Amino acid sequence: MNIPAENRKTPRSAVLRINSKRLNLANSAQVSQEGEDLIAAGATELVVDCSTVTMVDSSGIGTLVGLRKKIGEGGNIVLRSPQPFVRKVLHLTKTDTLFEIR
């Protein structure tokens, strides 16, 4: 089957909503698994809705970085609506450059 080039390059987007005020050791494994499942199902753009997250620790940052590695060079991780503290932690850890922040 011959698929037009623009269709092959269109990202398949999926949204992962974090329904917690924290992204930390307590829930990072679950968030990671859900994100990995979406990527395995074919998502090339994973939008992580961070709008409710007010606190993130090193486990949470590690989870986001792990998802970035999992999606690979041809994919994109978008962090949607991160709160000021989350943005600050991303900036301080220099991981903000790994993600598109909207």
Side-chain angles (χ1 to χ4, degrees), residues 6-98:
E6 59 271 9
N7 287 343
R8 279 185 263 142
K9 292 185 179 185
T10 301
R12 181 163 173 223
S13 188
V15 177
L16 174 59
R17 181 172 168 82
I18 302 174
N19 292 316
S20 175
K21 289 186 179 237
R22 297 174 181 260
L23 177 55
N24 58 14
L25 183 61
N27 64 357
S28 61
Q30 179 184 358
V31 170
S32 180
Q33 186 61 58
E34 290 179 16
E36 288 178 13
D37 290 348
L38 291 169
I39 293 166
T44 57
E45 179 179 79
L46 182 61
V47 179
V48 181
D49 185 342
C50 302
S51 59
T52 62
V53 179
T54 58
M55 192 289 260
V56 64
D57 69 4
S58 60
S59 297
I61 295 294
T63 294
L64 296 173
V65 171
L67 290 173
R68 178 69 195 111
K69 288 180 181 177
K70 184 78 171 178
I71 206 161
E73 290 283 325
N76 189 31
I77 301 285
V78 176
L79 303 182
R80 182 189 295 159
S81 304
Q83 298 296 315
F85 179 79
V86 175
R87 284 178 183 261
K88 183 175 182 177
V89 171
L90 290 167
H91 177 73
L92 290 172
T93 58
K94 299 188 187 318
T95 53
D96 54 343
T97 60
L98 300 175

